[in-house]
Amino acid sequence: MTILVLDNPELIAKAAVASGFNAATLLAEGKRPHRIRFHYGFNKHALDISDRAIIRQHAVYLCQHPSASVQIHGHSDNFGAEDYNQFLSRLRTNAVVRLLVEEGVAESRILVASWGSARPFTTPDDRAANRRVEIEYLTHDMAKAL
């Protein structure tokens, strides 16, 4: 048996469409989108079109499930001064929060954490993987405790 491992989000999306995957069906069934990590280019904080589409799917899910809350984690690589990396990670989280709010999610259901380069996804030298935003779903009890 041959297993193909894809680490390119664009190729994964194309493979999913080719296999008959339909995001509208997934949302109609009330399931939340699977993708929760969004990567950025060097010194970038704007979301690309495909990322915006997935985040809109998260917004639809959140609107369908009013008891769900999320925490948006912003990260940067370790290149440059940490105060700038902290600022850049905050810009990244704000871009995601703005889009969720534009799509109807109440700000009170969104918690934000901007980590700069303090919490790398992989080794600090893998800068491209560390420039990211992650969406973490919180249970109702966790959201109340925070």
Side-chain angles (χ1 to χ4, degrees), residues 14-61:
K14 287 179 182 179
V17 169
S19 69
F21 174 78
N22 185 345
T25 303
L26 179 71
L27 290 173
E29 294 173 356
K31 296 180 182 175
R32 76 175 191 228
H34 180 69
R35 185 166 164 223
I36 59 168
R37 190 172 298 119
F38 305 90
H39 292 276
Y40 293 83
F42 177 73
N43 204 26
K44 303 291 182 198
H45 65 282
L47 294 161
D48 67 24
I49 293 170
S50 64
D51 290 343
R52 291 176 66 84
I54 302 282
I55 291 170
R56 282 189 178 100
Q57 292 174 10
H58 282 283
V60 168
Y61 176 84

Side-chain angles (χ1 to χ4, degrees), residues 1-145:
M1 174 197 299
T2 302
I3 298 174
L4 176 63
V5 177
L6 298 175
D7 64 355
N8 181 324
E10 189 172 318
L11 287 176
I12 293 170
K14 287 179 182 179
V17 169
S19 69
F21 174 78
N22 185 345
T25 303
L26 179 71
L27 290 173
E29 294 173 356
K31 296 180 182 175
R32 76 175 191 228
H34 180 69
R35 185 166 164 223
I36 59 168
R37 190 172 298 119
F38 305 90
H39 292 276
Y40 293 83
F42 177 73
N43 204 26
K44 303 291 182 198
H45 65 282
L47 294 161
D48 67 24
I49 293 170
S50 64
D51 290 343
R52 291 176 66 84
I54 302 282
I55 291 170
R56 282 189 178 100
Q57 292 174 10
H58 282 283
V60 168
Y61 176 84
L62 287 164
C63 289
Q64 291 173 347
H65 298 87
S67 64
S69 296
V70 291
Q71 183 164 13
I72 311 299
H73 298 271
H75 302 271
S76 68
D77 60 27
N78 64 349
F79 188 81
E82 185 55 32
D83 57 342
Y84 180 75
N85 290 336
Q86 185 72 29
F87 172 72
L88 188 56
S89 68
R90 201 167 34 253
L91 289 175
R92 291 172 177 164
T93 56
N94 288 343
V96 174
V97 170
R98 268 194 314 274
L99 184 54
L100 289 172
V101 170
E102 286 172 9
E103 295 296 319
V105 179
E107 283 185 62
S108 61
R109 298 174 53 204
I110 304 170
L111 300 170
V112 177
S114 300
W115 299 106
S117 64
R119 295 188 177 188
F121 179 62
T122 64
T123 65
D125 292 335
D126 190 358
R127 292 187 171 108
N130 292 324
R131 296 187 297 258
R132 71 199 188 281
V133 164
E134 296 176 352
I135 298 176
E136 176 187 7
Y137 279 83
L138 307 172
T139 65
H140 188 63
D141 293 334
M142 284 178 64
K144 286 195 309 190

